[in-house]
Amino acid sequence: MDEKNLKKETCAVHAGRMSAEHFGVVNTPVYRASTVLYSDLAALESGKVPYVYGRRGTPSSRSLEEAVNAIEGGARTVICSSGLNAIALALLSVCSAGDHLLMVDSCYGPTRWFCDRTLSRFGVETTYYDPCLRAGIEALFRPNTKAVFCESPGSLTFEVQDVPAIAAVAHAHGASVLLDNTWATPLYFDAFAHGADLSIQAATKYVGGHADVMLGYVCANESHAARLAQTHDHLGIYASGDDCFLALRGLRTLPVRLKRHGETALALARWLQQRPEVSRVLYPALEDDPGHGLWKRDFTGATGLFGVVLKPVPHDALAAFFDSLKLFGMGYSWGGYESLIVPSKLHRTASKFSADGPLLRIHAGLEDADDLKADLQHGFAAMK
Ligand SMILES: *Cc1c(COP(=O)(O)O)cnc(C)c1O
């Protein structure tokens, strides 16, 4: 089967399956392994066996790698123990001492801590840039700029980046383009078609999809595949067979889940826009969102995560709102089947985000949209 010609939805169902190697069983079983035995000395000396040691891969991780690789349309995928682990790996695979990194100011918070507190110790300097910069990012390039990191839409504030324009500048300067594509997943944003060299995913979120697995991956194009695989191997990054199994199970239903998450998010976003308590809704699928044009040009869908800026409200009223919600859980992470809500705290150094009131982040789960609206309505009533 030539997976290159298949739609992503079909890949999500078929890619990475190895039923013939497992007695016809549809799903690749959970492999728990450290030692892998060789049949004879010749096999050991040649190294020509599919699996050599648990850390370096089992059929469980290989199945997930192959499935992801087919959906992403990449050259090589490696599985990591978390999304943050995947981000750190991607950066370590391209940056060396003396290099300069351009990091988007709206990145996932822990990405910033990794750059500022760990990567900096190895002589890599990070400059943050405004997520709304397009070709104008060129002014920030230095002779030693090695990589540009994008995350679109941005964490918490949801600015859509012009990834193709940024990638064109980066490539003209010989720099690599890294993209945290967790919000859109490869189903709604084709990282490589838009100029990324490394596509990063916190599989903890939508790929896992059931709030019960921590996992990440990095998928590389041809030119970045060897360095990525080598760095992954040298760092000893490992993901358990159980977690790979769960991520693969999630991947099979990702297209149908995302469609529903997106529909519900749009319904909630439109409803919230009409509420007197709401100042602004940050969701690129809304026609009046500043990122809507770029989103329409580059994305094929919107998922379930968006931001809400409330009008100014006393803290105890805000607490009453949060504490009275029954269907929206309060907790970090997102991408599972359940709805979530959290207050957001911004960390920015290169761009301004102005909000007159508190900023919230909502994840629309798979519940009925009217039930979710009723829950929020109940919260707003308690806020008064
Ligand atoms: C959650 C998240 C991550 C980190 O994923 P973990 O699996 O929690 O480490 C990275 N990027 C984005 C955009 C995220 O939302």
Side-chain angles (χ1 to χ4, degrees):
M1 183 166 49
D2 183 7
E3 280 160 353
K4 287 211 163 23
N5 297 323
L6 295 175
K7 298 274 193 308
K8 289 180 177 183
E9 288 75 6
T10 310
C11 271
V13 171
H14 286 274
R17 278 171 36 186
M18 309 172 163
S19 304
E21 294 167 39
H22 299 103
F23 306 98
V25 167
V26 171
N27 295 315
T28 304
V30 173
Y31 276 77
R32 294 186 156 278
S34 52
T35 300
V36 179
L37 300 173
Y38 293 90
S39 55
D40 51 28
L41 186 64
L44 188 147
E45 286 175 343
S46 77
K48 288 203 169 68
V49 289
Y51 303 102
V52 295
Y53 184 49
R55 192 187 68 221
R56 305 187 69 191
T58 63
S60 297
S61 61
R62 188 73 52 84
S63 270
L64 180 59
E65 278 171 17
E66 287 182 9
V68 163
N69 213 53
I71 294 169
E72 291 269 358
R76 180 80 160 88
T77 298
V78 292
I79 311 299
C80 300
S81 63
S82 69
L84 183 58
N85 186 210
I87 290 164
L89 166 66
L91 286 166
L92 289 171
S93 76
V94 294
C95 294
S96 307
D99 287 345
H100 174 237
L101 164 69
L102 286 170
M103 171 60 67
V104 66
D105 206 26
S106 50
C107 66
Y108 175 67
T111 302
R112 183 181 284 266
W113 316 141
F114 176 73
C115 293
D116 292 352
R117 299 169 193 173
T118 295
L119 213 46
S120 60
R121 291 197 291 110
F122 296 88
V124 178
E125 192 187 343
T126 301
T127 300
Y128 292 90
Y129 68 90
D130 186 331
C132 298
L133 269 184
R134 300 169 76 160
I137 197 170
E138 182 144 34
L140 299 178
F141 273 73
R142 301 179 191 168
N144 62 337
T145 303
K146 194 61 171 290
V148 182
F149 193 107
C150 302
E151 184 187 322
S152 176
S155 270
L156 309 180
T157 46
F158 300 91
E159 296 92 341
V160 181
Q161 292 195 256
D162 191 341
V163 176
I166 292 169
V169 172
H171 291 152
H173 286 263
S176 301
V177 178
L178 284 61
L179 173 70
D180 181 337
N181 198 25
T182 303
W183 183 86
T185 85
L187 286 166
Y188 289 170
F189 186 85
D190 187 332
F192 298 118
H194 292 94
D197 297 298
L198 293 173
S199 174
I200 302 160
Q201 187 73 205
T204 304
K205 310 291 168 57
Y206 280 127
V207 174
H210 295 73
D212 52 8
V213 58
M214 299 293 309
L215 216 60
Y217 71 74
V218 187
C219 181
N221 63 11
E222 203 65 55
S223 62
H224 288 65
R227 262 292 271 285
L228 176 70
Q230 187 192 60
T231 311
H232 181 267
D233 188 39
H234 289 179
L235 288 171
I237 295 175
Y238 167 77
S240 82
D242 304 73
D243 291 341
C244 291
F245 178 93
L246 287 173
L248 207 45
R249 163 174 286 211
L251 195 66
R252 302 304 182 201
T253 59
L254 183 61
V256 286
R257 287 187 289 110
L258 281 191
K259 186 163 181 291
R260 166 84 172 194
H261 283 296
E263 286 164 1
T264 304
L266 189 60
L268 293 182
R270 287 201 203 288
W271 182 82
L272 283 162
Q273 278 188 307
Q274 307 304 320
R275 291 291 312 187
E277 299 85 354
V278 171
S279 167
R280 209 145 52 97
V281 178
L282 317 171
Y283 188 53
L286 293 170
E287 289 77 3
D288 53 357
D289 187 274
H292 186 69
L294 280 177
W295 173 77
K296 251 188 118 144
R297 187 192 73 183
D298 293 344
F299 291 68
T300 53
T303 59
L305 194 73
F306 61 95
V308 181
V309 180
L310 295 179
K311 295 206 179 125
V313 57
H315 192 265
D316 55 346
L318 187 68
F321 168 76
F322 275 106
D323 294 348
S324 66
L325 297 173
K326 301 265 187 303
L327 297 178
F328 285 88
M330 219 189 311
Y332 292 104
S333 199
W334 48 275
Y337 54 82
E338 83 291 16
S339 290
L340 293 169
I341 189 165
V342 281
S344 301
K345 193 159 178 270
L346 295 184
H347 302 278
R348 291 202 171 216
T349 50
S351 56
K352 282 230 160 11
F353 179 83
S354 52
D356 43 346
L359 174 64
L360 319 179
R361 190 185 70 184
I362 288 182
H363 179 248
L366 301 178
E367 301 95 330
D368 178 81
D370 289 334
D371 285 345
L372 294 175
K373 283 180 203 166
D375 199 35
L376 291 170
Q377 180 139 31
H378 180 74
F380 285 135
M383 201 160 97
K384 292 226 167 70

